[in-house]
């Protein structure tokens, strides 16, 4: 803050050069907002000037007489903090720095009287130059604000410093908000990614969504996920604009394959480096290994950040989080697949046991499972539900393991007592499987596949939609295969006859929706066992 005493005097109005008042006072320009702020905080009048030319851009008091000594104008470009100039004429000029507008440096200026009393010769000369009538000058002097340079200096400095403090705080708070927003955005990203890591989800679909999300989150032009999956197959998924052919990616990995580091590899200036000849379009990249703690499973690659940005700790941290999530998911997925394989083998051995015991219905379980799968697909059930329906189809008659061999293998029709014993198989199957948590979802299919829609089935005499959907689907699949297959004491029925029975039984014996699904999928279902088991 400087107060300058200028001995040179006012010569004429000097601040009306070029276009005037290009900004209205209610403009949202930062410089004009600051001008309003100074006027309100000090009670003084201000004009906004282009510091280089002295051009008036706006003013807070329309009646303010525009006077400014040329010597003050010549110093406006040096105004980086409040300045005060005391003149021998009795006027005190002040200037404060404002914000730049486009490429213009702007200042806020004004003047007050130093003290009331005698009208100086310089002011009288000014009045003459402005052609003011007699007495107008003394009226004008009476209307002017009166303030000493020292007080004016203190007043302007207080406002300036308070404003500087507030700007700094605003800047810090803005920076903090931006940081919080960045962290929140990363958390949302990781959260979204983690919730998408569903074990049963198709691994290719999952990898693609990870690659796409990471590429968009980091803003890189390309992202590649390369993993050695649990079947030992090398898989690559890319998204965005790759700066090299897909085959070249493996060449890039070769450069770093020997590294034992578990950290990100960052190269922000590829040009002129070791690999620039092989990868002329690659400007910068980040490569992060995917490991399960001991084993190297694959890599996450991000390439070419736009707008001169460089990869840094933020991008490395995010990529490392994604790599860790993927590694955990891949390990879990491997366990899940191993468990599924075990279940399938276990189910397979149970079905083989049943087939060995009941040779007349050999292959029945597989066909029921396949038909039930077609029905599930026609009913647009989820992939997991369809998988469960298939397994339930394989196991639906497993309770027959507990039925007397002589009855199961009887070459003629069963008498009522024998039939009553066979009717126990849904409950026996239920008891066999209920102790195994893995099969809990399948239990309704095993227990209730002989219920009838009208409520006349067994063992629970459930009716309509009270019968679990799994059981309603299996009931149709089971009946279809049973009617179509040959038995020692009868031939399998022709398709037309079976379909007539379905039409008549829809809504009484079977769920009409499942029967409708059968007719929609009849051609596919006809393929299931036509060559081996069913009559044409
Ligand atoms: Fe059955």
């Amino acid at each position: 803050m400087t107060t300058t005493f200028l001995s040179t005097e006012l010569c004429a109005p000097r601040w009306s050069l070029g276009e005037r008042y290009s900004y209205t006072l209610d403009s949202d320009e930062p410089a004009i907002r600051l001008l309003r702020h100074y006027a309100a905080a000090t009670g003084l009048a201000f004009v906004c000037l282009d510091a280089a030319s002295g051009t008036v851009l706006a003013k807070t008091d329309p009646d303010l007489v525009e006077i400014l000594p040329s010597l003050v104008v010549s110093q406006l470009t040096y105004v980086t903090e409040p300045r005060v100039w005391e003149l021998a004429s009795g006027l005190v000029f002040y200037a404060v720095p404002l914000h730049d507008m486009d490429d213009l440096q702007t200042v806020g200026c004004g003047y007050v009287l130093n003290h009331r009393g005698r009208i100086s010769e310089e002011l009288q000369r000014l009045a003459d130059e402005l052609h003011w009538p007699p007495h107008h000058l003394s009226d004008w002097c009476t209307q002017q604000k009166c303030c000493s340079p020292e007080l004016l200096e203190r007043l302007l400095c207080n406002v300036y410093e308070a404003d500087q403090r507030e700007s700094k705080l605003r800047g810090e708070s803005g920076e903090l908000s931006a940081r919080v927003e960045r962290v929140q955005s990363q958390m949302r990203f990781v959260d979204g990614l983690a919730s998408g890591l569903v074990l049963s989800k198709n691994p290719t679909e999952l990898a693609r969504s990870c690659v796409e999300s990471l590429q968009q989150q980091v803003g890189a032009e390309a992202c590649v996920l390369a993993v050695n999956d649990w079947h030992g197959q090398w898989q690559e998924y890319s998204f965005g604009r790759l700066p090299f052919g897909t085959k070249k990616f493996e060449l890039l990995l070769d450069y770093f394959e020997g590294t034992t580091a578990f950290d990100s590899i960052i190269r922000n200036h590829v040009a002129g480096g070791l690999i620039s000849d092989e990868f002329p379009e690659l400007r910068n990249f980040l490569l992060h290994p995917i490991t399960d703690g001991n084993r190297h499973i694959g890599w996450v690659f991000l390439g070419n950040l736009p707008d001169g940005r460089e990869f840094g700790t933020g991008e490395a941290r995010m990529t490392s989080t994604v790599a860790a999530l993927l590694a955990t998911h891949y390990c879990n997925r491997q366990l899940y697949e191993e468990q599924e394989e075990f279940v399938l083998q276990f189910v397979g051995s149970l079905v083989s046991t049943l087939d060995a015991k009941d040779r007349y219905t050999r292959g029945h379980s597989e066909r029921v499972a396949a038909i039930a799968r077609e029905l599930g697909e026609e009913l647009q059930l989820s992939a997991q539900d369809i998988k469960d329906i298939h397994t339930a189809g394989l196991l639906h008659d497993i309770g027959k393991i507990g039925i007397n061999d002589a009855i199961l293998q009887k070459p003629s029709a069963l008498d009522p007592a024998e039939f009553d014993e066979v009717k126990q198989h849904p409950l026996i199957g239920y008891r066999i499987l209920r102790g195994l948590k893995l099969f809990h979802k399948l239990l309704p299919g095993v227990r209730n596949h002989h219920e009838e829609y009208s409520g006349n089935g067994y063992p629970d005499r459930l009716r309509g939609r009270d019968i679990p959907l799994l059981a309603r689907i299996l009931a149709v699949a089971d009946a279809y295969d049973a009617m179509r297959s040959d038995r020692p004491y009868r031939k399998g029925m022709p398709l037309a006859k079976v379909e007539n029975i379905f039409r008549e039984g829809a809504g009484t014996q079977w769920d009409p929706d499942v029967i409708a699904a059968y007719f929609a999928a009849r051609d596919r279902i006809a393929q299931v066992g036509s060559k081996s088991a069913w009559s044409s």
Side-chain angles (χ1 to χ4, degrees), residues 36-177:
R36 290 198 302 267
H37 169 64
Y38 268 107
T42 60
L44 298 170
F46 280 86
V47 289
C48 174
L49 298 170
D50 167 14
S53 64
T55 304
V56 177
L57 302 172
K59 63 181 184 179
T60 62
D61 177 0
D63 297 329
L64 187 73
V65 177
E66 299 169 4
I67 46 176
L68 195 68
S70 53
L71 265 180
V72 171
V73 173
S74 71
Q75 293 186 44
L76 292 179
T77 52
Y78 306 109
V79 174
T80 53
E81 58 180 12
R83 291 280 304 268
V84 170
W85 295 271
E86 181 185 358
L87 272 74
S89 62
L91 287 176
V92 181
F93 284 84
Y94 49 86
V96 290
L98 301 175
H99 300 294
D100 288 357
M101 288 206 281
D102 298 325
D103 53 350
L104 294 184
Q105 179 194 347
T106 62
V107 289
C109 279
Y111 57 83
V112 293
L113 278 176
N114 192 353
H115 48 73
R116 299 198 196 284
R118 187 182 67 83
I119 294 176
S120 68
E121 285 176 18
E122 290 77 13
L123 281 179
Q124 188 58 61
R125 199 164 59 246
L126 177 75
D128 293 343
E129 281 188 30
L130 292 171
H131 307 294
W132 283 353
H135 307 298
H136 185 73
L137 177 59
S138 57
D139 291 346
W140 181 81
C141 286
T142 313
Q143 289 159 9
Q144 297 313 297
K145 286 197 161 47
C146 208
C147 184
S148 72
E150 296 75 23
L151 189 61
L152 191 59
E153 178 183 330
R154 229 173 16 247
L155 182 65
L156 291 172
C157 270
N158 283 345
V159 177
Y160 174 75
E161 282 162 10
D163 188 57
Q164 290 295 102
R165 276 197 300 274
E166 195 187 315
S167 293
K168 193 172 166 218
L169 281 175
R170 233 189 343 256
E172 284 170 359
S173 136
E175 201 179 301
L176 195 65
S177 301

Side-chain angles (χ1 to χ4, degrees), residues 439-505:
F439 297 127
H440 269 194
K441 278 195 289 184
L442 317 180
L443 291 177
V446 175
R447 182 178 174 117
N448 298 115
H449 68 275
H450 285 290
E451 302 290 351
E452 290 183 13
Y453 208 67
S454 57
N456 293 323
Y458 60 90
D460 299 317
R461 299 183 68 82
L462 298 180
R463 176 191 294 266
R465 297 289 174 109
D466 288 345
I467 307 168
L469 177 62
L470 184 56
R472 281 180 270 145
I473 291 173
L474 287 178
V476 172
D478 186 24
Y480 181 90
D481 185 66
M483 289 191 281
R484 295 281 284 130
S485 303
D486 292 340
R487 289 285 181 269
Y489 49 92
R490 65 154 170 83
K491 285 287 289 174
M493 291 180 198
L495 181 61
K497 188 173 178 188
V498 170
E499 291 187 343
N500 272 338
I501 293 174
F502 273 167
R503 282 189 198 94
E504 284 167 15

Side-chain angles (χ1 to χ4, degrees), residues 396-397 400 425 449-450 478:
H396 75 288
D397 271 347
K400 285 187 179 170
H425 77 272
H449 68 275
H450 285 290
D478 186 24

